[in-house]
């Protein structure tokens, strides 16, 4: 099963103002953390973006589009939420694959994967879960 990592609650640095600058700052932090972990933004599986105000969507989206590799956009949900720090306009949570081997594993057709690695009830993304408890819960 591929190794996944999660970055939770990445928020802008102190003193960064405006949705475009805050989003770019958070994405730069994420890129650095991915790099330090031996990964990169091509291996992002899913992102959830929290905005303090949906009026900031276009500005956030512009920074996001400039950051993601063209044609390699991960699935993303964007929601409005009251963020912990009132100066924050954006906070990002994401899941990513930890290695190229894991990325290759997910590209294999289900028929070529080991039978015990297939999720009995595929998630919406047709990717399997990461633990037996999930599988057990889905069987009931």
């Amino acid at each position: 099963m591929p190794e996944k990592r999660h970055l939770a609650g990445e928020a802008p640095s102190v003193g960064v103002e405006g949705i475009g600058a805050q989003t770019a700052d958070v994405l730069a932090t994420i890129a650095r953390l991915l790099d330090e972990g031996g990964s990169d933004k091509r291996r992002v599986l899913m992102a959830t973006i929290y905005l303090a105000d949906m009026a900031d969507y276009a500005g956030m989206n512009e920074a996001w589009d400039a950051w993601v590799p063209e044609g390699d956009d991960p699935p993303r949900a964007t929601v409005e939420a009251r963020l912990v720090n009132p100066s924050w306009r954006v906070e990002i949570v994401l899941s990513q694959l930890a290695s190229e081997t894991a990325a290759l594993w997910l590209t294999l057709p289900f028929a070529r994967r080991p039978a015990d690695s297939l999720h009995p009830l595929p998630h919406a993304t047709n990717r399997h879960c990461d633990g037996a408890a999930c599988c057990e819960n889905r069987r009931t």
Side-chain angles (χ1 to χ4, degrees):
M1 182 173 302
E3 181 185 352
K4 291 187 282 186
R5 294 189 182 137
H6 307 279
L7 296 177
E10 297 305 320
S13 301
V14 174
V16 177
E17 298 292 329
I19 189 61
Q22 284 194 3
T23 304
D25 181 69
V26 171
L27 293 171
T29 299
I30 288 172
R32 179 183 52 78
L33 292 170
L34 293 175
D35 184 58
E36 287 173 5
S39 190
D40 62 54
K41 58 189 170 185
R42 292 176 303 114
R43 297 188 188 121
V44 173
L45 292 174
M46 169 93 190
T48 304
I49 300 176
Y50 298 94
L51 294 176
D53 187 337
M54 285 304 284
D56 288 337
Y57 182 84
M60 174 280 302
N61 207 43
E62 186 176 326
W64 174 265
D65 288 345
W67 184 77
V68 296
E70 187 173 333
D72 209 9
D73 297 16
R76 178 187 88 186
T78 305
V79 297
E80 183 176 274
R82 186 176 304 159
L83 303 180
V84 173
N85 184 325
S87 69
W88 295 349
R89 307 299 303 151
V90 62
E91 186 173 342
I92 300 176
V93 175
L94 64 83
S95 297
Q96 57 97 29
L97 294 170
S99 68
E100 192 66 34
T101 302
L104 291 172
W105 191 92
L106 275 183
T107 64
L108 287 175
F110 279 115
R112 292 183 49 205
R113 295 184 190 169
D116 63 352
S117 72
L118 297 179
H119 192 292
L121 297 171
H123 292 205
T125 60
N126 290 326
R127 294 184 175 127
H128 61 285
C129 71
D130 59 359
C134 174
C135 294
E136 289 303 315
N137 290 337
R138 289 181 162 271
R139 288 188 187 122
T140 59

